[in-house]
Amino acid sequence: MKTILVPTDFSKSANNALMFAKNLAVNHNYRIKLLHIVQTMVDPNMPPEIIDEVLTTQENEAKEQNEALQKEIASAGVEVESITRRGFLIESEILEELTAGDINLIIMGTKGVADLVDKLLGSNTSSIIERATCPVLVVPSLAKPDKAIKKIVYATQFHGEELPFIERILDFSDSINAETTILKITTSDKQEESLINKLNLSSSSHKCKIETFSAHSVSEGISEYAKKNNTDLLVMVTHRRTLLEKFFNPSITKKLAEHVNVPLLAYHG
């Protein structure tokens, strides 16, 4: 059975991501591992016994909240484990959990466009994406957690070797019985015909199609295509973050806001 790691801080956005993970688990036989880290950032001038008392209280309260979430998820018939522990850096604790267990997917919540930019290009989640041995799914707070994933769009500019990632993406798509579109945004008349032919051959045995979409920019094209085609999940491969940097440029924040309800699955290339 595959395992989803869901880091939580008990916020609304984190709970929405957890509900997204729960529905994925119910419908496609995943187990869930809930992780809450009590950060050990306290005033160093405080007496050690007071520091320990404060952290112990925080840990006990957090453990109760985490176990309540565990019971809620388990009531839906999902195998779930809750972990609450102290840690200094949340990012390091998440990565440590990856090495300690067989994690297949990380699902994290985000509040909106600005927070999504921070999470994907900022220090914490960017580092997790770059160092994780599994994909990271970022769920905006406006995403509907009970909406089934039927249409997946893998947005690519054909940077680097794509085929190994496409196989992984198609395997994921097959596992949840979704249709995948491999989308190339064209901003000029130049086409990568040889690679498109390879992709057509690679995807022929899956529910998959190859499409190109003309637009003035990559970000505009992805936004417009997602809107026109009722996309349920965007997938990208972060080749040194080049595509993400183009997509999440501050100048197109308004366009992104129109699609803040679309979750993003990121693989590190």
Side-chain angles (χ1 to χ4, degrees), residues 151 213-214 221-231 259:
K151 292 185 178 181
F213 189 80
S214 297
I222 294 173
S223 294
E224 289 181 2
Y225 186 91
K227 184 176 182 179
K228 289 181 179 179
N229 292 274
N230 297 316
T231 299
H259 308 292

Side-chain angles (χ1 to χ4, degrees), residues 108-133:
M108 304 178 70
T110 182
K111 298 174 185 176
V113 171
D115 192 52
L116 185 59
V117 174
D118 178 67
K119 284 183 176 296
L120 288 176
L121 300 182
S123 59
N124 284 343
T125 304
S126 174
S127 180
I128 291 170
I129 290 173
E130 291 178 2
R131 297 167 63 188
T133 54

Side-chain angles (χ1 to χ4, degrees), residues 4-8 14 17-18 21 32-36 105-107:
I4 301 172
L5 177 65
V6 184
T8 181
L18 177 57
I32 291 176
K33 182 178 286 189
L34 269 169
L35 177 66
H36 177 80
L105 176 67
I106 301 172
I107 297 184

Side-chain angles (χ1 to χ4, degrees), residues 2-269:
K2 293 184 177 181
T3 301
I4 301 172
L5 177 65
V6 184
T8 181
D9 59 3
F10 310 126
S11 65
K12 181 179 179 180
S13 58
N15 288 341
N16 193 55
L18 177 57
M19 293 303 103
F20 193 96
K22 182 194 79 171
N23 285 307
L24 197 60
V26 167
N27 294 317
H28 304 291
N29 198 33
Y30 283 84
R31 67 186 298 271
I32 291 176
K33 182 178 286 189
L34 269 169
L35 177 66
H36 177 80
I37 303 301
V38 178
Q39 286 188 282
T40 55
M41 299 176 67
V42 293
D43 186 349
N45 297 316
M46 292 175 63
E49 62 274 13
I50 299 297
I51 291 176
D52 184 66
E53 182 180 343
V54 168
L55 290 175
T56 299
T57 299
Q58 291 178 341
E59 189 172 5
N60 288 338
E61 291 175 350
K63 187 176 181 181
E64 287 184 9
Q65 285 183 276
N66 214 14
E67 289 178 349
L69 288 176
Q70 179 185 12
K71 290 179 181 179
E72 180 181 352
I73 300 302
S75 67
V78 176
E79 182 180 336
V80 57
E81 173 187 4
S82 65
I83 300 170
T84 305
R85 65 168 180 261
R86 300 181 192 181
F88 184 67
L89 293 175
I90 293 177
E91 167 203 336
S92 298
E93 295 296 327
I94 292 173
L95 292 171
E96 181 178 325
E97 199 60 42
L98 291 183
T99 62
D102 185 17
I103 305 298
N104 303 97
L105 176 67
I106 301 172
I107 297 184
M108 304 178 70
T110 182
K111 298 174 185 176
V113 171
D115 192 52
L116 185 59
V117 174
D118 178 67
K119 284 183 176 296
L120 288 176
L121 300 182
S123 59
N124 284 343
T125 304
S126 174
S127 180
I128 291 170
I129 290 173
E130 291 178 2
R131 297 167 63 188
T133 54
C134 65
V136 179
L137 199 162
V138 183
V139 181
S141 60
L142 294 183
K144 297 178 180 179
D146 56 349
K147 184 181 180 183
I149 299 175
K150 293 299 181 185
K151 292 185 178 181
I152 296 175
V153 171
Y154 169 41
T156 175
Q157 291 307 97
F158 298 147
H159 294 156
E161 180 54 58
E162 302 291 326
L163 294 181
F165 289 100
I166 288 172
E167 291 297 332
R168 294 173 63 187
I169 293 163
L170 293 178
D171 285 344
F172 173 73
S173 176
D174 288 347
S175 72
I176 62 172
N177 195 30
E179 178 186 82
T180 297
T181 297
I182 300 173
L183 177 67
K184 166 69 167 67
I185 303 300
T186 59
T187 55
S188 67
D189 294 331
K190 184 179 180 182
Q191 296 285 339
E192 294 83 355
E193 295 295 343
S194 62
L195 186 50
I196 289 177
N197 289 336
K198 288 182 181 179
L199 294 177
N200 275 312
L201 182 63
S202 173
S203 61
S204 60
S205 61
H206 302 270
K207 291 175 64 177
C208 179
K209 58 183 178 180
I210 317 296
E211 288 194 4
T212 58
F213 189 80
S214 297
H216 294 297
S217 68
V218 173
S219 57
E220 180 181 292
I222 294 173
S223 294
E224 289 181 2
Y225 186 91
K227 184 176 182 179
K228 289 181 179 179
N229 292 274
N230 297 316
T231 299
D232 300 314
L233 179 67
L234 281 171
V235 183
M236 294 184 185
V237 175
T238 62
H239 297 289
R240 296 182 301 279
R241 289 185 276 173
T242 52
L243 183 55
L244 285 178
E245 286 168 350
K246 288 181 181 179
F247 189 54
F248 292 106
N249 186 287
S251 67
I252 53 89
T253 297
K254 183 177 180 180
K255 284 191 173 295
L256 282 177
E258 297 173 1
H259 308 292
V260 70
N261 61 322
V262 180
L264 174 66
L265 180 63
Y267 291 80
H268 174 58

